[in-house]
Amino acid sequence: MIQVAALGSGSSGNSLLVKSERTTLLIDCGFTMKETIARLHHLGLSPSELDAILISHEHGDHMKGVGPLSRKFGLPVWCTYGTYHRARDNRFSSVRLFHAHEPFVIGDMEVDPFPTPHDAAEPCQFVFSAGDVRFANVTDLGACTPHVREKLEGVHGLVVECNYDNDMLRNGPYPPSLQARIRSDYGHLGNEQAGLLLRELDHPELQYILLGHLSEQNNSDALALATMQQHVEDRHHRISVLAQHCCSQWFRVVAETVDAALSEDMASAV
């Protein structure tokens, strides 16, 4: 089993918790240390319970609190060479540099990083495995490459980027140059791109589809949900939007079909 919760997800800050039986990882930390600690407490955790921080890339909305949190609580930070050397603050308690094509293990969790097309030094995202369960985080990519699709095949849950709605971006306040950057192959995934990806990935054991990194200027929860529902034919209850300004609930991911997992959750709640 893997449990997942977002501290927050959006253009102003991103951070995700991935927890197995014996290992708790923080994926990115785009909030101040004070805000991160408050959100961890809301989810029933303290920073001292974290085993490591993983960084996807060096942009501030993913890395603002990493250095202070690592130094204060002695947390090791895992990142690629490019991310480490481009980071504005890389004074970590300790650092573990990895190659984005080589899996590694932290506690009882296997982490399989993969490179993503984004305008950063050496960006990557991750597939997490504990036993037979696989969960993926895939945001901050301008295009779904064949390698990305291959890595995501068969996952039991995932966070997928839905950064913008095409019409809202086109008619919004951003100048043409910024719009072009967002739409580029090294920018962000829009709702339609994410929906097409999910249509290819969907299978009976895909239990949770979490929509992340929504732009507050260029998207809305309703538009992102509606687009995903058009591309995912049934079981729309699996789809949730991750909020920017508050934590999500905990999502429990198991190696079962969606209906079996939901039935087990309902039985344990009685």
Side-chain angles (χ1 to χ4, degrees):
M1 180 178 69
I2 291 177
Q3 296 183 74
V4 177
L7 275 65
S9 184
S11 299
S12 299
N14 298 272
S15 192
L16 183 74
L17 283 164
V18 179
K19 189 175 185 294
S20 62
E21 184 178 351
R22 301 195 310 273
T23 306
T24 303
L25 305 178
L26 186 67
I27 317 307
D28 293 331
C29 184
F31 304 101
T32 65
M33 183 173 67
K34 180 179 179 181
E35 181 67 19
T36 300
I37 293 172
R39 295 195 186 203
L40 285 170
H41 285 165
H42 181 81
L43 290 166
L45 290 174
S46 68
S48 60
E49 295 178 84
L50 300 174
D51 292 289
I53 305 171
L54 277 62
I55 309 174
S56 62
H57 62 294
E58 73 274 11
H59 291 166
D61 61 324
H62 293 260
M63 203 174 166
K64 180 185 294 183
V66 174
L69 198 69
S70 171
R71 292 189 293 272
K72 183 171 179 63
F73 295 97
L75 299 173
V77 174
W78 293 69
C79 60
T80 62
Y81 292 83
T83 296
Y84 176 72
H85 291 294
R86 190 66 64 86
R88 180 173 297 179
D89 177 4
N90 61 9
R91 295 172 293 124
F92 308 136
S93 172
S94 61
V95 64
R96 311 283 193 274
L97 299 178
F98 62 82
H99 191 286
H101 288 282
E102 296 178 358
F104 53 90
V105 174
I106 304 175
D108 64 344
M109 189 112 60
E110 180 178 278
V111 182
D112 188 5
F114 55 94
T116 49
H118 190 54
D119 56 355
E122 193 181 356
C124 68
Q125 291 295 344
F126 308 97
V127 176
F128 304 93
S129 301
D132 295 330
V133 184
R134 299 174 67 239
F135 184 90
N137 188 63
V138 56
T139 67
D140 297 83
L141 71 165
C144 296
T145 66
H147 186 60
V148 169
R149 289 186 176 90
E150 179 184 347
K151 286 294 185 180
L152 299 179
E153 286 183 1
V155 296
H156 298 95
L158 80 162
V159 175
V160 63
E161 178 172 52
C162 291
N163 184 252
Y164 63 90
D165 169 77
N166 280 319
D167 290 336
M168 284 189 69
L169 179 61
R170 183 182 305 110
N171 299 317
Y174 288 3
S177 59
L178 182 54
Q179 291 187 31
R181 175 207 165 236
I182 291 170
R183 283 200 183 94
S184 77
D185 287 347
Y186 292 91
H188 292 276
L189 278 192
N191 293 345
E192 188 65 26
Q193 291 169 295
L196 291 170
L197 174 63
L198 286 175
R199 180 183 292 178
E200 295 181 16
L201 294 176
D202 200 12
H203 64 96
E205 294 184 359
L206 179 54
Q207 297 157 35
Y208 291 109
I209 300 167
L210 308 180
L211 311 184
H213 216 303
L214 273 70
S215 166
E216 293 183 283
Q217 296 285 339
N218 304 307
N219 208 353
S220 71
D221 293 6
L223 284 170
L225 277 171
T227 305
M228 295 311 107
Q229 289 170 358
Q230 291 171 6
H231 289 283
V232 179
E233 292 184 359
D234 58 5
R235 298 172 294 158
H236 292 160
H237 55 274
R238 298 175 294 166
I239 308 173
S240 299
V241 178
L242 300 179
Q244 173 70 92
H245 298 291
C246 62
C247 301
S248 74
Q249 68 184 70
W250 281 100
F251 298 92
R252 174 181 169 273
V253 188
V254 296
E256 300 173 356
T257 63
V258 175
D259 292 339
L262 289 175
S263 297
E264 185 177 333
D265 280 346
M266 292 175 63
S268 64
V270 174

